[in-house]
Amino acid sequence: ATSATINFDNTVITSTYDLYAVVIHNCKPVSDADLELLVSPDNGTTIRSTGYDASAFKMASTSAVADTTSIILSADSLGGATGEGLYTAIIYIANPSYAGIKTTASGWQGYHDSGGGMESGTFHGMYDTVEVTDYIRFQMSTGNVETGEFMVYGVSG
């Protein structure tokens, strides 16, 4: 269903795992926007809206899109129009439960535009303050997520 945010709280993001894999499948915004990842140290009471250091790269692009207000997960707005592709991504979130290490997120994403062109790229970012993260939020830079599945897996070594 259409949603402004997709949240995973401290019942999912726990100290059990050092690494989480998030798989996003068939995500589409209501209107053109970028997908973002934000973190919280207090189970969602305070969502960090500044202090990020993140970049997303689009294949065949010579420049990156940088962001300090979120970990940006796409280098070009995802399209909400008919015929535009559904976003797919694999995101690795490392060290969320360590108070002495910055939480980082890296991954790959892909989608297609209304003209049939394919977009793919990579991204990496971190919340640039050392603190525990026990809550993650996905949201569009503007508008809502219209469709999609967001699955979180704890990775053990």
Side-chain angles (χ1 to χ4, degrees), residues 7-17 20 40-45 96-97 132-137 152:
N7 303 302
F8 296 96
D9 66 13
N10 65 5
T11 64
V12 176
I13 307 301
T14 69
S15 60
T16 303
Y17 300 102
Y20 286 87
S40 170
D42 55 12
N43 200 34
T45 301
S97 297
V132 170
T133 294
D134 65 0
Y135 184 99
I136 58 174
R137 169 175 285 171
V152 177

Side-chain angles (χ1 to χ4, degrees), residues 41-126:
D42 55 12
N43 200 34
T45 301
T46 308
I47 301 294
R48 300 298 189 210
S49 60
T50 61
Y52 295 90
D53 187 7
S55 295
F57 295 89
K58 182 171 69 171
M59 298 303 174
S61 175
T62 57
S63 62
V65 176
D67 200 357
T68 59
T69 60
S70 69
I71 297 174
I72 189 168
L73 304 179
S74 56
D76 196 2
S77 291
L78 307 180
T82 301
E84 291 189 296
L86 300 172
Y87 178 86
T88 300
I90 299 172
I91 304 162
Y92 293 101
I93 300 173
N95 308 312
S97 297
Y98 286 105
I101 302 174
K102 296 173 183 177
T103 299
T104 63
S106 300
W108 170 91
Q109 52 82 27
Y111 52 97
H112 65 272
D113 61 29
S114 60
M118 304 300 283
E119 304 283 348
S120 65
T122 60
F123 51 85
H124 177 76
M126 71 179 130

